[in-house]
Amino acid sequence: MENKINITLSTTRKEKPNPETLEFGRVFTDHMFVMDYSVTKGWYDPRIVPYEPISLSPSTMVFHYGQTVFEGLKAYRTKEDEIFLFRPDRNFQRMNQSNDRLCIPHIDEQFALEALKQLVAIEKDWVPNLEGTSLYVRPFIIPTEYYLGVAPSKFYRFMIILSPVGSYYKEGIKPVKIYVEDNYVRAVKGGTGTAKTGANYAASLKAQEKAEKNGYSQVLWLDGVEKKYIEEVGSMNIFFKINGEIVTPALNGSILEGVTRNSIIQLLKHWGLTVHEKRISMEDVYNAYKNGQLEEAFGTGTAAVISPIGEFYYNDVQMVLNNGETGEISKKLYDTLTGIQTGTHEDLFNWVVKVTE
Ligand SMILES: *Cc1c(COP(=O)(O)O)cnc(C)c1O
């Protein structure tokens, strides 16, 4: 593929939003990255162009059968006004794993990272500087063939759009209440749970709505067969601290492997803690709770980094953890990871990629 990225700058600039009141995913920057795929040309015409609507025939495959993949990562501004990306190579690697599952052609991971760096460099003034804020990066691929047949598309579009986002924790890191879902499931082994694809999110909405109606903020997903074993929490991976040791569900063919999950396991081991990746049932967690051994629970993902869990609702029982307060390990992990991401903590594992010098 011709590796030169064509750049067309916008003749106008949008007003930057107030970083104090930023929401998630509502405001987009002035430019986006786009490249197309056809069977004969492969990926071609990589370009950075003004952010604008796209025009597609109503018969375009993207509107019908959900053959899509996406990624999510963030760019951070440091105190020295440098722009950092956190382990972006892992996101493009995972995008290709998702592509495999969805019959979408691979992208060149190094080229995608180069394109992202160029785009973020152009948009660097959009990276907010308030503590906890960042520039959210959304790479995604859609099928663009005009065809109603059920088959892998012969044409695709890869895009990267950028959105300044506010702090997940406006009033400090705070535990959430979780509804253990025993009817709906997110994914099953053999399905698409390990791929970051829109369909998994569509499948999750009904249970999320039910949890919210009952006063809970997220769903704890159990396995799709026996509905006994813990999978994930909302769109985050989940960890427990039981009797001084850390436990997280092993990757089992239906769990999405988070970059945050992987980073946390490395950090915990570096601190000398024991981490078990194993099958864990809700019954195990309930028994640990009854015995006073369930010390902490938290979700992990790019959006919140760490989301401490203050309560589980399971089988008509309310299990309150740690008096509904943030646990020690949750707090330490949050401070360390966000410190690495924003340059105030030593980058122990070479995770950070600088966009600007
Ligand atoms: C994206 C995602 C995660 C978290 O992944 P990170 O790379 O840590 O952001 C976890 N579970 C699901 C279902 C996801 O889609």
Side-chain angles (χ1 to χ4, degrees):
M1 188 185 78
E2 169 77 65
N3 266 10
K4 170 117 179 41
I5 299 170
N6 236 306
I7 298 174
T8 309
L9 294 180
S10 174
T11 51
T12 59
R13 292 290 186 276
K14 292 180 246 186
E15 199 181 321
K16 310 272 186 308
N18 175 359
E20 306 263 357
T21 53
L22 274 174
E23 289 179 61
F24 178 81
R26 296 266 184 213
V27 174
F28 298 90
T29 67
D30 293 309
H31 301 89
M32 59 186 181
F33 174 78
V34 186
M35 74 180 168
D36 291 305
Y37 178 92
S38 80
V39 173
T40 49
K41 293 189 204 167
W43 288 107
Y44 69 97
D45 194 14
R47 56 205 188 270
I48 289 170
V49 293
Y51 184 94
E52 62 185 7
I54 54 178
S55 173
L56 294 166
S57 159
S59 68
T60 308
M61 289 176 104
V62 64
F63 301 125
H64 302 278
Y65 310 121
Q67 191 199 8
T68 65
V69 298
F70 69 93
E71 272 300 328
L73 65 157
K74 284 175 171 177
Y76 305 86
R77 184 180 292 279
T78 71
K79 284 210 176 69
E80 287 73 40
D81 265 342
E82 292 177 304
I83 310 294
F84 283 3
L85 293 165
F86 184 71
R87 309 188 75 186
D89 46 313
R90 299 278 299 196
N91 292 92
F92 291 121
Q93 204 182 327
R94 184 170 67 191
M95 185 171 235
N96 270 339
Q97 288 165 13
S98 302
N99 284 342
D100 274 337
R101 183 63 183 82
L102 276 293
C103 299
I104 294 172
H106 274 205
I107 53 161
D108 178 331
E109 293 167 24
Q110 267 167 1
F111 180 69
L113 179 53
E114 183 52 40
L116 173 59
K117 282 160 100 178
Q118 283 196 33
L119 179 65
V120 173
I122 288 171
E123 303 290 54
K124 62 180 189 306
D125 293 347
W126 282 92
V127 187
N129 63 3
L130 209 63
E131 189 178 335
T133 63
S134 58
L135 185 66
Y136 185 78
V137 177
R138 167 55 57 86
F140 62 104
I141 300 177
I142 56 166
T144 49
E145 188 176 353
Y146 297 173
Y147 180 45
L148 290 185
V150 179
S153 176
K154 292 192 180 70
F155 302 91
Y156 297 89
R157 182 163 293 172
F158 172 92
M159 306 179 79
I160 305 176
I161 56 174
L162 306 173
S163 172
V165 295
S167 175
Y168 199 88
Y169 297 109
K170 291 217 163 58
E171 284 123 39
I173 178 168
K174 196 168 143 264
V176 293
K177 292 164 72 179
I178 300 298
Y179 188 93
V180 181
E181 176 58 49
D182 57 6
N183 177 33
Y184 300 111
V185 300
R186 188 193 84 92
V188 290
K189 198 171 169 210
T192 54
T194 58
K196 233 173 157 67
T197 179
N200 294 334
Y201 285 75
S204 76
L205 298 176
K206 191 82 183 167
Q208 176 64 26
E209 198 176 67
K210 175 176 150 195
E212 281 171 23
K213 263 190 203 137
N214 286 293
Y216 289 80
S217 64
Q218 304 255 325
V219 171
L220 183 101
W221 299 107
L222 299 177
D223 74 278
V225 179
E226 296 179 68
K227 294 179 187 156
K228 267 169 58 180
Y229 301 102
I230 293 168
E231 299 244 306
E232 303 198 44
V233 57
S235 50
M236 290 183 283
N237 296 115
I238 189 165
F239 287 75
F240 300 90
K241 181 160 171 263
I242 297 175
N243 204 17
E245 298 188 339
I246 310 293
V247 188
T248 189
L251 301 175
N252 62 352
S254 54
I255 291 171
L256 195 288
E257 183 180 7
V259 178
T260 320
R261 175 187 185 275
N262 176 281
S263 308
I264 277 165
I265 291 172
Q266 288 190 53
L267 268 178
L268 290 167
K269 288 184 175 166
H270 177 76
W271 292 338
L273 283 149
T274 304
V275 183
H276 301 282
E277 293 180 63
K278 64 175 191 186
R279 191 161 80 159
I280 170 167
S281 68
M282 196 56 215
E283 207 55 41
D284 294 339
V285 169
Y286 183 63
N287 288 334
Y289 170 77
K290 274 197 307 198
N291 299 335
Q293 296 187 323
L294 181 55
E295 292 153 10
E296 293 183 41
F298 53 92
T300 70
T302 295
V305 184
I306 301 287
S307 179
I309 295 169
E311 179 182 327
F312 288 108
Y313 183 79
Y314 170 60
N315 269 352
D316 300 326
V317 183
Q318 279 169 300
M319 302 162 50
V320 177
L321 275 68
N322 212 13
N323 287 324
E325 316 250 322
T326 299
E328 214 175 297
I329 285 289
S330 307
K331 183 81 176 77
K332 188 174 171 190
L333 281 167
Y334 179 79
D335 290 342
T336 308
L337 263 185
T338 54
I340 293 172
Q341 289 163 342
T342 55
T344 60
H345 193 284
E346 185 194 351
D347 184 11
L348 296 159
F349 304 94
N350 262 321
W351 282 335
V352 158
V353 171
K354 281 187 199 180
V355 171
T356 53
E357 294 309 321

